[in-house]
Amino acid sequence: MTTTPTIQLNDGNAIPAIGFGTFQSPDDGTTYQAVKDALAAGYRHIDTAVAYFNEDEVGRAIRDSGIPRDEIWVTSKLWLQDFGYEAATKAIDRSLSELGLDYIDLYLIHQPYGDVPGAWRAMEAAKKAGKLNSIGVSNMTPKIWNQFVPDFETLPSVNQVEFNPYFQQTELRKLLAPKDVKLEAWAPLGQGNQDLLQEPVITKLAAKYNKDVGQIILRFEHQEGIIVFPKSVHEARIKSNLDIFDFSLTDDEVAQLRQLDKGQGQHDPDTPGTKDMLLNAFDVHAND
């Protein structure tokens, strides 16, 4: 079984460098089985969110795994309907209940719109109370970061954003590096972008190292210091995505992969109307 390396956060906690993503994994038993398979394969970092509607299955899989709780890093996220101090305070307790856990290792502001300062204060209070170990943000561009974070009492430990070889977040990384804020990658494999998966430089490296293209991409991101959590519901793919620690890309190869950067992704959080679009897309209280 693979033992995954960890990355030190600016709050002193050590996060596993690779995790298992559960976005768009349905709450019909599929997520439960996928998380159980991931834990059995050696993952010790599971990423979920209230807006994924699968926290209960993630928590059940963790409990049923037989792995000690302190060996598994669990991330969840606060959704837009629960921004503001009071709403966020209740939402954190709700996520703990859904997950069936006493604490969450990392809790993120999922989409940075609305009463972000109030939500952040609630997260800071929950961290002090021992309900959250680390806190961070997600989908913050440099513009959004500069709008909110300078007024935070506590610096975020991570910013989870879209990241893959086609979108390497150059400006954001320059902004975060001096503050030692780590970048986490959602869609680290480009959400199945066939152009990316067929890039000649990547396929050639896959042949050289006897790896698949996904493993080359994930290895590149790991060497760039990015925390990744690829998603799959297929056991073989779950295992192969973790198998990236028995080889290293050379400096020249990393430089070649850096040249693939197109400077933009599929999602632009700065686009006007994004908040309303997201609010209409996900209502985490629809079944209350």
Side-chain angles (χ1 to χ4, degrees), residues 51-271:
Y52 297 173
F53 302 97
N54 59 19
E55 286 177 310
D56 57 334
E57 290 201 10
V58 168
R60 187 158 54 89
I62 289 169
R63 292 192 300 276
D64 290 352
S65 71
I67 299 166
R69 170 67 184 95
D70 62 2
E71 294 181 14
I72 303 174
W73 181 282
V74 181
T75 296
S76 195
K77 311 179 191 75
L78 182 71
W79 191 246
L80 288 159
Q81 279 103 2
D82 292 323
F83 282 15
Y85 186 88
E86 295 296 334
T89 299
K90 293 176 182 176
I92 292 166
D93 287 340
R94 179 180 176 180
S95 279
L96 285 166
S97 177
E98 285 289 309
L99 287 161
L101 301 177
D102 294 327
Y103 65 92
I104 297 171
D105 297 272
L106 175 62
Y107 198 71
L108 306 179
I109 285 181
H110 200 160
Q111 300 288 351
Y113 310 101
D115 189 2
V116 171
W120 190 253
R121 287 194 302 273
M123 291 163 60
E124 290 174 324
K127 187 175 188 290
K128 290 176 183 175
K131 296 177 180 180
L132 311 174
N133 285 350
S134 294
I135 54 178
V137 297
S138 183
N139 295 300
M140 277 199 176
T141 62
K143 178 181 177 181
I144 296 173
W145 178 277
N146 288 325
Q147 178 185 352
F148 291 117
V149 176
D151 295 326
F152 287 178
E153 183 177 327
T154 306
L155 193 66
S157 293
V158 306
N159 186 8
Q160 185 182 120
V161 295
E162 182 180 1
F163 185 100
N164 58 69
Y166 277 174
F167 188 29
Q168 297 180 34
Q169 297 280 6
T170 305
E171 291 305 313
L172 183 62
R173 291 161 75 189
K174 288 178 183 176
L175 175 65
L176 301 186
K179 303 169 178 64
D180 196 26
V181 177
K182 302 304 182 186
L183 211 68
E184 291 190 325
W186 62 255
L189 299 174
Q191 293 184 320
N193 184 323
Q194 290 304 303
D195 289 342
L196 175 63
L197 299 178
Q198 294 170 15
E199 277 286 349
V201 62
I202 297 175
T203 58
K204 287 176 183 176
L205 289 171
K208 173 184 174 180
Y209 289 105
N210 195 27
K211 293 290 182 178
D212 62 41
V213 293
Q215 291 166 325
I216 296 298
I217 293 170
L218 294 171
R219 180 68 203 185
F220 163 67
E221 292 164 343
H222 173 67
Q223 289 185 215
E224 289 289 86
I226 309 300
I227 301 162
V228 298
F229 31 89
K231 169 198 170 286
S232 179
V233 296
H234 303 293
E235 188 174 0
R237 179 62 64 186
I238 289 170
K239 290 179 179 179
S240 69
N241 285 339
L242 192 61
D243 187 20
I244 63 169
F245 300 110
D246 59 351
F247 76 106
S248 294
L249 301 170
T250 68
D251 290 345
D252 285 346
E253 290 164 350
V254 168
Q256 291 175 46
L257 291 169
R258 286 175 179 163
Q259 294 301 311
L260 296 177
D261 188 17
K262 298 178 182 295
Q264 62 181 21
Q266 300 177 56
H267 173 63
D268 181 2
D270 290 329
T271 301

